[in-house]
Amino acid sequence: MELDTFMELAGPTIGAAMSAYGVAVLTQAEDAAAGATVNLGRRILQRVWQRRDQPEREALERDVREVAEESENADAQAALRQAVKRTLRDDPELLAELAELLPRADSWSNRFTVSGPGSVVNAGTNNGEMSSTVTIHGGKTQ
């Protein structure tokens, strides 16, 4: 899996873990009460932290602390993402291991973008007609 793809998929789980645990995310044990997303993000951050040497661990701890203290700070969140990316860029084995933790691509919802009057999307099976009504200014419909 490409690093950018991994970060796109793992980013929300890391954010959920930070919201749930704050600074304790690096030392928090598996929590049966926490959701799968939170636990996955916690595991990712802990594995990244464990693969770093002491100075790098301290730097990651600072990044985690900043995000915990200022959860809405986009710069702090970006710094944490970059720290995770640096570790994974330097450790392709860890990237592969963590990618295995993510749900398979085919289990993720497909995303569709439709636009224009009367546009319809069906992500499943349709066994009949599909139609759409568009309201035109003045209350008339097509």
Side-chain angles (χ1 to χ4, degrees):
M1 174 179 289
E2 295 290 323
L3 178 57
D4 289 337
T5 302
F6 174 84
M7 291 303 298
E8 183 179 323
L9 296 173
T13 69
I14 292 171
M18 287 298 308
S19 295
Y21 298 123
V23 176
V25 72
L26 296 176
T27 57
Q28 178 71 33
E30 184 83 13
D31 185 352
T37 300
V38 169
N39 275 322
L40 178 57
R42 179 195 54 77
R43 289 173 66 192
I44 290 169
L45 282 173
Q46 285 181 354
R47 297 284 297 279
V48 166
W49 182 74
Q50 290 165 353
R51 287 297 249 280
R52 293 174 146 227
D53 63 22
Q54 190 59 37
E56 291 173 329
R57 282 184 179 187
E58 291 170 2
L60 184 62
E61 290 167 5
R62 279 191 302 275
D63 292 336
V64 165
R65 192 171 23 262
E66 284 184 30
V67 172
E69 291 170 357
E70 301 178 53
S71 62
E72 299 301 315
N73 183 335
D75 292 336
Q77 293 171 9
L80 178 58
R81 281 193 306 273
Q82 287 303 313
V84 170
K85 280 181 82 168
R86 264 192 308 280
T87 299
L88 297 177
R89 188 177 302 117
D90 295 341
D91 191 341
E93 285 182 19
L94 179 60
L95 173 59
E97 289 172 24
L98 294 178
E100 288 297 316
L101 299 176
L102 294 174
R104 292 272 143 280
D106 56 340
S107 69
W108 287 74
S109 299
N110 289 324
R111 295 180 188 179
F112 299 93
T113 302
V114 296
S115 63
S119 297
V120 177
V121 67
N122 176 14
T125 302
N126 182 42
N127 294 316
E129 289 184 24
M130 291 181 71
S131 63
S132 172
T133 302
V134 178
T135 302
I136 309 293
H137 296 285
K140 297 181 181 179
T141 59
Q142 273 180 278

